Amino acid sequence: MIATALWIALALFSAAIALNFYRAVIGPSLPDRVLAVDTMYMNSIALIVLFGIWVNNKDYFEAALLIAMLGFVSTIAVCKYLLRGDIIE
Amino acid sequence: MLDMLLEGAIAFMLIAGGIFAFIGSLGLTHLKDFYMRLHGPSKTTTLGVGCTLIGSLIFFSLENGPVVQELLITVFAFITAPVSAHMLAKSALHHKLKPDPRTRGNPQELERDRPKHTVEEAPQGDSPLP
């Protein structure tokens, strides 16, 4: 039962990442692309966690936590740059 | 029996998370302007990733005792998603991105016919500010 659910979830998250990539490529404005990349890292966290379930290894959790923190900080940094033209004033 | 039930819960959480994340990304792709597109990822994708992480938490708790580290990412995602959505909305307003013409009511930052005047000929009397 878990194996089937794992495959379905992997397929759905991969499709979600493909849609995010499409938006990041065509996105008409800069905040659109930032939003698409932000969503892409959120989905990649879920993909890494699903891979950890697949190989039955708990250590992949740390990679997911690292991606979450760095992704948040980089999103805030790019937004700050778009707002003020500078990151640390 | 209990294992069967917990496996069902894990499968439900994984599929629900996948469906939520897919719907969020679908909204990101298909909606009309940036202010609509901001809704999908900031609410739905966060919920999807949270569901997947809770499913993973139950899965790893089945074998060797309770594991609560995965809750860390869930809490982090639920705290940081509104902050990044707020910053993105602020930068979009700063860049004056065009809203869909059917949107009713504009924020003050997007008003097209904003009076352009110098400091000397500033309008007196009826200031919109409190």
Side-chain angles (χ1 to χ4, degrees):
Chain A
M1 188 157 56
I2 290 181
T4 316
L6 202 56
W7 277 110
I8 296 173
L10 277 172
L12 284 168
F13 274 108
S14 306
I17 286 187
L19 288 174
N20 294 338
F21 185 72
Y22 173 70
R23 174 53 71 190
V25 169
I26 69 159
S29 62
L30 212 46
D32 270 310
R33 295 176 208 270
V34 180
L35 179 63
V37 174
D38 184 79
T39 317
M40 208 190 272
Y41 91 75
M42 285 299 276
N43 284 330
S44 69
I45 291 170
L47 266 190
I48 288 176
V49 167
L50 289 176
F51 184 71
I53 294 178
W54 191 15
V55 299
N56 201 355
N57 192 344
K58 220 164 30 178
D59 298 338
Y60 289 97
F61 147 81
E62 279 144 21
L65 186 59
L66 208 60
I67 287 183
M69 301 177 86
L70 287 180
F72 171 67
V73 171
S74 57
T75 304
I76 293 298
V78 176
C79 284
K80 195 81 182 159
Y81 174 72
L82 290 180
L83 270 174
R84 312 282 299 177
D86 205 351
I87 296 173
I88 300 173
E89 298 168 59
Chain B
M1 182 61 200
L2 187 64
D3 275 5
M4 191 81 178
L5 215 62
L6 282 177
E7 280 190 12
I10 295 168
F12 174 77
M13 279 296 183
L14 293 186
I15 293 179
I19 288 174
F20 274 129
F22 182 71
I23 291 173
S25 300
L26 209 62
L28 176 70
T29 309
H30 281 278
L31 288 179
K32 293 245 180 329
D33 65 357
F34 179 80
Y35 308 101
M36 295 184 202
R37 286 199 280 267
L38 195 53
H39 285 279
S42 61
K43 300 188 189 86
T44 323
T45 302
T46 311
L47 189 59
V49 174
C51 278
T52 309
L53 285 163
I54 288 174
S56 155
L57 189 148
I58 303 173
F59 178 80
F60 286 118
S61 300
L62 274 185
E63 294 176 355
N64 34 16
V67 179
V68 288
Q69 302 150 342
E70 316 260 337
L71 214 57
L72 222 59
I73 310 180
T74 314
V75 170
F76 189 78
F78 273 71
I79 289 173
T80 57
V83 179
S84 53
H86 173 76
M87 291 298 283
L88 279 165
K90 267 177 83 174
S91 62
L93 283 176
H94 182 73
H95 281 238
K96 294 197 186 350
L97 298 187
K98 288 260 187 300
D100 191 60
R102 287 175 298 165
T103 308
R104 282 196 278 178
N106 271 337
Q108 204 177 5
E109 286 89 344
L110 290 179
E111 300 234 336
R112 304 236 167 75
D113 49 356
R114 203 148 27 135
K116 291 190 176 64
H117 50 72
T118 59
V119 178
E120 285 78 20
E121 55 189 23
Q124 305 291 320
D126 49 351
S127 166
L129 297 173

